[in-house]
Amino acid sequence: MGTLRIATVGLDLMAEALRAQDADVTAVDWRPPGGGDPEVVRALTATYGDPRVGEANARALARLQEARPMIVGAGPAGELIPGLEGRMVLHAGPPVEWERMCAPQRNAVTGACILEGWASGPQEAADLVARGGVRLAPAHSLEAAGAMCGVISPSMACWAARDEIGGGVGYSPFNDGPGDAFWLGVGSPEAIRRQRLMADEVAPGFAAALRAEGPIDALALCAQGIAMGDDCHMRHQATTMLLLRQVLPAMAEHAPAAVLPTARLLGGNGHFALTVTIAAARAALAGIRGIPASSLVVFISRNGTDAAVQIAGLPDRWFTFPAPLVGDPLYRPGFSDDDAAPDIGDSALVECAGLGGAASAASPGVAAFLGGGLQDAIERTRRMGDICIGRSERLRIPTLDGEGTPLGVDARACVDLGETPLINTGILHREDGGQIGAGIAVTPVEPIRDALRALAAHLEDGPR
């Protein structure tokens, strides 16, 4: 009689018990689809079994591959963003009332009110907003997106991006760096001074360079940055320097007064290109919004209170769930989970565009910062690959022999496997704002599950 070979499915306990008896065991890693929830299984069956979904996702992936988001403008947000006018402040995440808004985002909003001259101090600003004297709206409602708190008011410096192939647009505020900064939930006098510096002295230099030399290919910068160790979410050191290298000659020629303040700002701000990336990624992703039947995740957005997702086949519908704390945290000395604000920011859309967590394997520096190594970073990219339908043709990872980053997050795969996009991100203090650490946020599966159910219902009700 030959040697008995055994295969086990699902439970590790059975395989371990057999191995302890020297059996030849092959363990199959299997879990019930959707955790075995009958409603979820029905949604998976409907969306995997409907050829319209696969065809729509193929079209969406092709659009993402073809997208060429270009930075076409730099200047005051009120001049660049249609609809941002009067006493209006945009914020990251899905809609949230002032009473439910997290403290760091409130701090940034009150800082913006002081910056605009609508209030003389934080309390006056808070009272003004509370009685409805300032309109609050999600940045995405005006085709914008912001990192962390994501606050944008009319006089703040802002980037404008346009996809020259698909026509999608995206806007994002200039990144104000570490320490006292609006994006980190600090509305102090220093944070306000920095905003004025960017609007009055730095943005005009970039605007002059764009007028003289034309648009900047943002994904080309990101591709080079990835080759130099950036993930283009938590680490933008190389991409920031590449941006400066590209614009500096034209800035020196056409706006020489901007060179020194720009060099000083970028010299102490390795994240400066982050919002260039966000604006460009949003413009690229806008091209897949509204593709009927597509189950690809377009935006992941958090405001420190709620986490939300939007899928391509159901444009303008947010599916929300309470925002979790950031996972695998690495805190600065003296801080812990008790001090941390829940996950926040619109920047997770870059993970849907093949950057950030998808490009983890390109950035050993980020892995080391988070307390891991290159193999941990590679594993994060592999996990993203499990829930994506393709690989980027532009964004390639040297440490994986030029393999493209995972692209096209499929809600079906997320729900089926119980795996969701991994987001390389910072952690803010829950009351005072300011960055107290960093970690890997895991997108909650619940809003993606709800979105898939809604898509299945929509397909059932619609024409076949």
Side-chain angles (χ1 to χ4, degrees):
M1 181 176 178
T3 302
L4 182 63
R5 302 180 67 187
I6 303 171
T8 65
V9 178
L11 295 176
D12 293 333
L13 184 62
M14 179 67 73
E16 291 169 1
L18 290 166
R19 288 193 184 104
Q21 301 174 61
D22 296 323
D24 184 358
V25 179
T26 299
V28 179
D29 183 11
W30 180 86
R31 287 165 288 179
D37 184 315
E39 288 187 22
V40 175
V41 171
R42 280 194 290 271
L44 286 168
T45 302
T47 51
Y48 272 121
D50 191 326
R52 292 174 295 174
V53 179
E55 293 166 2
N57 286 350
R59 290 199 303 275
L61 180 63
R63 287 191 187 179
L64 289 177
Q65 299 282 24
E66 295 165 358
R68 289 297 181 270
M70 311 292 284
I71 299 300
V72 296
E79 296 178 10
L80 293 177
I81 304 177
L84 181 58
E85 54 194 25
R87 291 186 172 184
M88 185 177 190
V89 176
L90 305 180
H91 61 79
V96 61
E97 302 81 13
W98 176 250
E99 294 74 20
R100 295 182 63 243
M101 186 176 280
C102 71
Q105 203 165 58
R106 282 191 179 204
N107 297 341
V109 169
T110 57
C113 291
I114 298 168
L115 171 71
E116 299 295 340
W118 305 334
S120 60
Q123 189 57 55
E124 183 181 343
D127 293 342
L128 178 67
V129 178
R131 65 173 183 266
V134 173
R135 289 180 296 158
L136 300 176
H140 275 296
S141 68
L142 295 184
E143 299 184 285
M148 303 303 277
C149 293
V151 163
I152 312 173
S153 62
S155 68
M156 289 172 59
C158 180
W159 299 107
R162 179 178 296 277
D163 175 10
E164 65 178 14
I165 304 299
V169 298
Y171 308 95
S172 195
F174 274 37
N175 183 273
D176 36 351
D180 283 15
F182 280 14
W183 77 301
L184 299 178
V186 180
S188 67
E190 168 57 22
I192 294 167
R193 184 200 67 80
R194 201 179 298 179
Q195 287 292 337
R196 290 186 175 131
L197 170 72
M198 291 191 296
D200 297 341
E201 301 183 42
V202 177
F206 282 96
L210 289 168
R211 287 192 299 269
E213 298 294 331
I216 296 170
D217 187 335
L219 286 190
L221 289 181
C222 290
Q224 293 177 74
I226 287 173
M228 298 167 68
D230 284 354
D231 70 336
C232 289
H233 194 164
M234 189 180 291
R235 188 183 193 275
H236 262 91
Q237 297 280 1
T239 312
T240 295
M241 293 302 103
L242 290 165
L243 173 66
L244 182 61
R245 184 184 70 174
Q246 181 163 338
V247 302
L248 194 58
M251 187 183 293
E253 182 178 356
H254 299 282
V259 171
L260 182 57
T262 300
R264 283 176 173 163
L265 179 69
L266 271 64
N269 181 5
H271 283 297
F272 186 76
L274 169 60
T275 51
V276 172
T277 300
I278 292 172
R282 198 203 182 282
L285 290 162
I288 71 172
R289 291 182 69 240
I291 292 181
S294 175
S295 62
L296 294 197
V297 178
V298 184
F299 301 135
I300 302 169
S301 189
R302 309 93 76 213
N303 56 29
T305 300
D306 301 312
V309 300
Q310 187 179 113
I311 62 173
L314 296 173
D316 304 320
R317 287 190 63 180
W318 287 109
F319 297 87
T320 63
F321 191 77
L325 293 177
V326 175
D328 294 330
L330 181 65
Y331 290 110
R332 291 175 177 169
F335 296 104
S336 68
D337 282 352
D338 293 337
D339 305 296
D343 192 22
I344 188 168
D346 292 325
S347 59
L349 62 84
V350 306
E351 267 76 15
C352 299
L355 298 163
S360 290
S363 190
V366 170
F369 178 76
L370 294 173
L374 180 57
Q375 287 305 313
D376 300 294
I378 291 173
E379 175 61 23
R380 286 194 280 276
T381 292
R382 293 289 182 234
R383 286 178 62 185
M384 286 291 292
D386 290 342
I387 57 174
C388 288
I389 64 171
R391 298 272 175 182
S392 174
E393 296 169 359
R394 275 191 106 180
L395 307 170
R396 299 187 177 275
I397 303 174
T399 52
L400 297 181
D401 295 326
E403 185 177 299
T405 64
L407 183 65
V409 176
D410 189 352
R412 297 176 303 174
C414 293
V415 173
D416 187 4
L417 300 175
E419 296 281 351
T420 58
L422 303 174
I423 306 162
N424 295 344
T425 189
I427 303 172
L428 302 184
H429 192 282
R430 67 168 57 247
E431 295 295 336
D432 302 331
Q435 187 170 356
I436 61 172
I440 302 167
V442 178
T443 307
V445 71
E446 288 84 358
I448 300 178
R449 185 182 298 153
D450 292 344
L452 191 69
R453 286 173 176 160
L455 180 65
H458 178 74
L459 293 172
E460 184 177 350
D461 294 340
R464 300 194 66 83

